[in-house]
Amino acid sequence: MKVHDEIDGWRLTLHDGFVQLIQIDFTLRLLVADSTGEANLCVEAPCRLVGPNTDVLLVPETASTLAPILPFFFAKVIGLSIRKTGQLRLEFKEGFLLEVGPDEKYEAWQL
């Protein structure tokens, strides 16, 4: 994994990255790994899973809404971007994105 500074934020690129673990416990946690390390993403706010013919709202505190993320166990990950506005985007190889926006009341995500 390598972090790159960008004008409006940061980008984490992965070499042969994949989702190694999905954990649900009032949060949505994804452990993303590649040949050089691991990153633990904890999502605490509603987020969207977007892709071909897909646009689904995931609400971490409502476990039943998280079923659409389960097939992404061992999914290939190509990158993660963070904007200075607080938006986070996890990019999967098959054209899917997990998008987390900022939250006014608390931290929407942690990495």
Side-chain angles (χ1 to χ4, degrees):
M1 289 181 208
K2 187 170 182 174
V3 177
H4 306 274
D5 283 325
E6 295 184 343
I7 293 172
D8 60 347
W10 303 267
R11 179 158 180 79
L12 182 69
T13 55
L14 295 97
H15 179 69
D16 293 328
F18 66 99
V19 176
Q20 188 173 23
L21 174 75
I22 297 175
Q23 180 180 342
I24 299 169
D25 61 357
F26 297 104
T27 64
L28 171 61
R29 295 176 188 265
L30 301 175
L31 181 63
V32 179
D34 73 1
S35 59
T36 62
E38 300 175 340
N40 189 6
L41 172 62
C42 178
V43 179
E44 300 177 26
C47 56
R48 299 200 83 74
L49 180 62
V50 180
N53 302 314
T54 303
D55 188 349
V56 180
L57 180 65
L58 307 176
V59 182
E61 60 190 29
T62 307
S64 62
T65 69
L66 300 178
I69 197 70
L70 296 178
F72 288 83
F73 182 60
F74 279 126
K76 295 198 181 286
V77 175
I78 57 174
L80 187 145
S81 59
I82 301 167
R83 300 290 162 238
K84 291 180 181 177
T85 60
Q87 295 173 307
L88 179 138
R89 175 185 257 184
L90 182 64
E91 302 169 43
F92 296 96
K93 186 174 183 181
E94 299 300 322
F96 287 89
L97 302 169
L98 181 65
E99 299 178 323
V100 187
D103 191 287
E104 294 178 10
K105 297 179 184 174
Y106 58 94
E107 294 177 353
W109 56 268
Q110 298 175 41
L111 182 65

